[in-house]
Amino acid sequence: GLKPPWHLGVNSPFKRKADSLSSPRKNPLERSASQGRQAAFRPPAWNRLRSSCMVIRVDDLDIHQVSTAGQPSKKPSALLSCSRKLHNLPTQVSAIHIEFTEYYFPDNQELPVPCPNLYIQLNGLTFTMDPVSLLWGNLFCLDLYRSLEQFKAIYKLEDSSQKDEHLDIRLDAFWL
């Protein structure tokens, strides 16, 4: 007859592994091998976890609109600026604050670590809608994207064996 799936026979690899992990009578070589297996299943020591953080702060901001040849010779108005005076922003508050944090274990690259995170804070920014500047920005970003794709293709930077990285993002915006 057929044995049910939950019945593990004497020669089952699962039974042998369980016996080898729990058997008190082992020679030192067997004992060290089983301890290594148990250490592999133990969660990593979080007190050894380190982080690497990059911070970018822009205290004030004034980006002008794109000027064209057919435009009158007046000074172009602001496309993106910080309304620091309008909102009475304190001096220690920046217009843009960006933090990117990655986590790692210094002694072991194979241990699982929390995913990297990106935090962005925007304070008192004013954006003026300007079609010409938006078109120019769109063309610039498309050209930059194509250049990066060509660069990755030339230097073979695409590694399909790596899984896609996960990135946690938080955006806080005040007085926009």
Side-chain angles (χ1 to χ4, degrees), residues 61 80-83 87 95-96 122-127 174-176:
L61 183 69
L80 183 64
S81 61
C82 180
S83 309
H87 299 296
I96 300 172
L122 307 175
N123 295 301
L125 295 180
T126 301
F127 177 75
F174 305 99
W175 303 296
L176 295 185

Side-chain angles (χ1 to χ4, degrees), residues 99-100 115-120 166-172:
E99 287 183 28
F100 178 70
C115 61
N117 54 52
L118 177 67
Y119 173 67
I120 303 171
H166 176 80
L167 176 68
D168 286 336
I169 300 175
R170 177 176 171 173
L171 171 66
D172 289 335

Side-chain angles (χ1 to χ4, degrees), residues 57 59 84 89-94:
R57 288 178 53 117
D59 289 332
R84 186 171 288 284
L89 291 179
T91 54
Q92 68 270 21
V93 174
S94 56

Side-chain angles (χ1 to χ4, degrees), residues 40-104:
F41 295 114
R42 208 175 323 146
W46 294 111
N47 61 350
R48 292 193 333 264
L49 182 68
R50 302 291 183 262
S51 65
S52 172
C53 186
M54 179 177 67
V55 177
I56 298 173
R57 288 178 53 117
V58 178
D59 289 332
D60 209 352
L61 183 69
D62 194 15
I63 298 175
H64 291 281
Q65 296 175 359
V66 172
S67 59
T68 60
Q71 206 174 30
S73 60
K74 68 178 179 89
K75 180 183 174 191
S77 58
L79 178 70
L80 183 64
S81 61
C82 180
S83 309
R84 186 171 288 284
K85 290 179 184 172
L86 177 66
H87 299 296
N88 294 323
L89 291 179
T91 54
Q92 68 270 21
V93 174
S94 56
I96 300 172
H97 180 93
I98 301 172
E99 287 183 28
F100 178 70
T101 308
E102 288 183 300
Y103 302 94
Y104 64 96

Side-chain angles (χ1 to χ4, degrees), residues 136-150:
W136 181 88
N138 183 42
L139 289 172
F140 176 79
C141 290
L142 284 174
D143 190 44
L144 180 63
Y145 174 75
R146 287 186 195 117
S147 297
L148 288 174
E149 288 296 314
Q150 289 174 354

